[in-house]
Amino acid sequence: QQQVKQSPQSLIVQKGGISIINCAYENTAFDYFPWYQQFPGKGPALLIAIRPDVSEKKEGRFTISFNKSAKQFSLHIMDSQPGDSATYFCAANNAGNMLTFGGGTRLMVKP
Amino acid sequence: ETGVTQSPTHLIKTRGQQVTLRCSSQSGHNTVSWYQQALGQGPQFIFQYYREEENGRGNFPPRFSGLQFPNYSSELNVNALELDDSALYLCASSLGTSDYNEQFFGPGTRLTVL
């Protein structure tokens, strides 16, 4: 059972544009929502994370928006750059730091 | 301080064989989690070890087993390999089991089962 659904599966954005990736979850026991970035041949690396008592978190060009009542959260990448081209995973965590990942979004930023 | 390392990088096995994958956790980290990432999909949680004990397990059969050693390095063993076991196996280490402890991932071991 997929407990975290992620969309879109792939995304093409022009340099300088905004990339938006959405996730929805089912398990209301989740209490931590990290986003990971993965480059080919590498393991995922933590990008930014949010707790459910906060509606938005911003770090540089990356922002998480969180809607607890809708059980949805999203990643916004402002001023997208070619170096941002990677696969992005949303995830959710509860009960002992065991991550449940979404299916991933392959982002391509065109120069 | 070294990051999470995994060995081997790639591995090819045939159906029915057994495989052992290894992970060295980041210095000071006492918790190791293993994930299976099929091609084009998100990682799936296999199990977690905390201070040499299994601390949690995902929806994987018993032929997936593991160990954690006193230095907190870890092994993932898979018996009776099946074609669907072909995947990237990731280990991640963290300092403790709190949901808010960042997990640091290794580069993975690519397992191909023929």
Side-chain angles (χ1 to χ4, degrees), chain A:
Chain A
Q1 180 187 5
Q2 184 184 8
Q3 295 190 47
V4 179
K5 295 184 179 179
Q6 183 170 346
S7 62
Q9 286 187 307
S10 62
L11 183 60
I12 300 174
V13 173
Q14 290 294 129
K15 179 182 175 181
I18 303 173
S19 303
I20 301 174
I21 304 170
N22 301 299
C23 285
Y25 64 97
E26 300 166 8
N27 186 351
T28 55
F30 288 142
D31 63 356
Y32 191 58
F33 299 87
W35 284 88
Y36 285 83
Q37 180 188 55
Q38 185 176 28
F39 292 103
K42 303 286 187 181
L46 180 66
L47 193 61
I48 186 173
I50 197 168
R51 301 187 187 195
D53 54 346
V54 176
S55 61
E56 185 175 281
K57 183 174 181 181
K58 184 175 180 179
E59 290 183 0
R61 296 185 294 110
F62 301 92
T63 300
I64 301 177
S65 297
F66 189 85
N67 186 329
K68 188 173 181 178
S69 61
K71 293 188 285 185
Q72 295 176 348
F73 58 112
S74 60
L75 176 69
H76 291 61
I77 306 174
M78 311 300 287
D79 187 27
S80 299
Q81 299 296 312
D84 296 332
S85 297
T87 301
Y88 292 81
F89 294 96
C90 60
N93 217 356
N94 77 301
N97 207 9
M98 303 168 200
L99 292 165
T100 300
F101 283 86
T105 296
R106 181 174 286 186
L107 171 65
M108 179 185 295
V109 181
K110 288 192 167 182

Side-chain angles (χ1 to χ4, degrees), chain B residues 4 25-31 68 71-72 93-95 102 104:
Chain B
V4 178
S25 59
Q26 187 161 313
S27 177
H29 286 186
N30 55 17
T31 305
Q68 188 179 32
N71 67 353
Y72 301 133
S93 74
S94 58
L95 183 59
E102 181 178 351
F104 293 83

Side-chain angles (χ1 to χ4, degrees), chain B residues 7-23:
Chain B
S7 63
T9 306
H10 296 90
L11 202 52
I12 300 175
K13 291 286 188 178
T14 56
R15 266 188 312 174
Q17 285 190 312
Q18 177 265 343
V19 68
T20 297
L21 311 181
R22 295 177 175 83
C23 171

Side-chain angles (χ1 to χ4, degrees), chain B:
Chain B
E1 180 180 295
T2 57
V4 178
T5 60
Q6 293 186 243
S7 63
T9 306
H10 296 90
L11 202 52
I12 300 175
K13 291 286 188 178
T14 56
R15 266 188 312 174
Q17 285 190 312
Q18 177 265 343
V19 68
T20 297
L21 311 181
R22 295 177 175 83
C23 171
S24 291
S25 59
Q26 187 161 313
S27 177
H29 286 186
N30 55 17
T31 305
V32 172
S33 302
W34 286 90
Y35 295 84
Q36 180 195 66
Q37 185 176 19
L39 197 61
Q41 297 183 25
Q44 279 196 290
F45 173 73
I46 303 174
F47 45 56
Q48 180 186 89
Y49 278 82
Y50 172 65
R51 293 185 175 179
E52 302 179 60
E53 297 287 331
E54 185 177 295
N55 187 53
R57 189 178 185 92
N59 190 25
F60 280 81
R63 59 189 186 84
F64 286 77
S65 63
L67 281 174
Q68 188 179 32
F69 300 100
N71 67 353
Y72 301 133
S73 66
S74 178
E75 284 182 356
L76 164 65
N77 299 289
V78 187
N79 293 321
L81 283 167
E82 301 177 359
L83 296 179
D84 284 350
D85 296 334
S86 295
L88 180 69
Y89 288 85
L90 296 162
C91 83
S93 74
S94 58
L95 183 59
T97 60
S98 164
D99 292 351
Y100 312 123
N101 290 134
E102 181 178 351
Q103 293 191 34
F104 293 83
F105 284 82
T109 293
R110 172 74 61 187
L111 173 65
T112 302
V113 182
L114 302 176

